[in-house]
Every structure is written in C-alpha cells, then in structure tokens.
C-alpha cells in the first residue's frame, strides 16, 4: 500500500471510487493480463503499440502527474508518437490528477475539448 499511496494516489483518505476499484478488482483478469504486481508475466508483458501510435488521427490529451508511477520517460514516447498530442504534467499529482487536482484537471480538460470542438467547426 505504501507504493500505491506514493505513486498512484497521494490523497488520504483515497476517493471512494478508487477504494471501490481496489475492493472490486477482478484479480483473475488482472493476473491474466498483468501477472503478479512485481513480476509482469501476463499476456500484456510483450505488448508494445508504440510503433502504431502514428496511426492515430484524432485529438489526444495525455495527462500524468509529477509523482506518477508512469514517469515522464514513459509518457514522452506516447506524446511524441501521436501527431499533435497534447501532454499536461500535473505538478501536485501522482497517477490520478483527476482526483488529486480536480479543479485544474477540469480546466485542462475543458480547454482541450473546447479547442477540439472549435477546430471541428472550422
């Protein structure tokens, strides 16, 4: 739990939706896809879609947190691989900026969606 409290969600207590997700998680499915938490053996182990990111032809907003288990080194290839993708790094968040910085997250998302809608109308 110490790992999750540092790198997944730094709020104390966790939001209800996150606690419910952990409580109701299907460990069989998780195990098949991921494997053990610290020993990735699942069927996603060798899965890498990075070479196909350039096929995406739609607006993409990528968000991550400064204290995220998905570090900027992991996110950068996604942002670079998707043409026109926007990446916002939330400075006060770990993996769940929508819960940890909800007002800022909503502002970023609203601005992105507004820009996409305006562009679609042009």
């Amino acid at each position: 739990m110490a790992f999750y409290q540092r790198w997944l969600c730094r709020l104390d207590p966790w939001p209800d939706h996150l606690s419910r997700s952990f409580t109701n998680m299907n460990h069989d499915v998780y195990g098949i896809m991921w494997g053990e938490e610290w020993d990735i053996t699942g069927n996603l182990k060798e899965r890498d879609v990075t070479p196909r990111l350039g096929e995406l032809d739609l607006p993409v907003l990528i968000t991550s947190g400064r204290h995220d288990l998905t570090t900027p080194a992991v996110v950068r290839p996604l942002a670079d691989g998707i043409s026109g993708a926007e990446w916002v790094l939330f400075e006060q968040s770990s993996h769940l900026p929508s819960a940890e910085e909800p007002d800022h997250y909503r502002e970023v998302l609203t601005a992105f969606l507004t820009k996409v809608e305006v562009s679609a109308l042009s």
Side-chain angles (χ1 to χ4, degrees), residues 5-40:
Q5 290 170 330
R6 180 169 182 174
W7 303 107
L8 180 70
C9 184
R10 299 167 68 204
L11 297 176
D12 185 17
W14 275 2
D16 287 341
H17 71 277
L18 181 57
S19 295
R20 282 192 314 273
S21 293
F22 263 68
T23 301
N24 297 317
M25 184 170 77
N26 186 319
H27 293 280
D28 292 335
V29 172
Y30 188 84
I32 290 167
M33 294 176 68
W34 192 255
E36 295 298 320
E37 190 65 37
W38 309 111
D39 185 19
I40 304 167

Side-chain angles (χ1 to χ4, degrees), residues 8-9 14 16 26 47 50 56 72 75 81-82 87-89 91-92 102 106 122:
L8 180 70
C9 184
W14 275 2
D16 287 341
N26 186 319
R47 186 77 172 137
T50 308
L56 293 173
V75 178
I82 302 170
W87 174 24
V88 178
L89 182 65
E91 293 294 333
Q92 305 305 316
R106 202 169 8 266
S122 301

Side-chain angles (χ1 to χ4, degrees), residues 91-104:
E91 293 294 333
Q92 305 305 316
S93 295
S94 54
H95 196 63
L96 298 175
S98 60
E100 295 169 293
E101 296 181 68
D103 294 337
H104 184 207

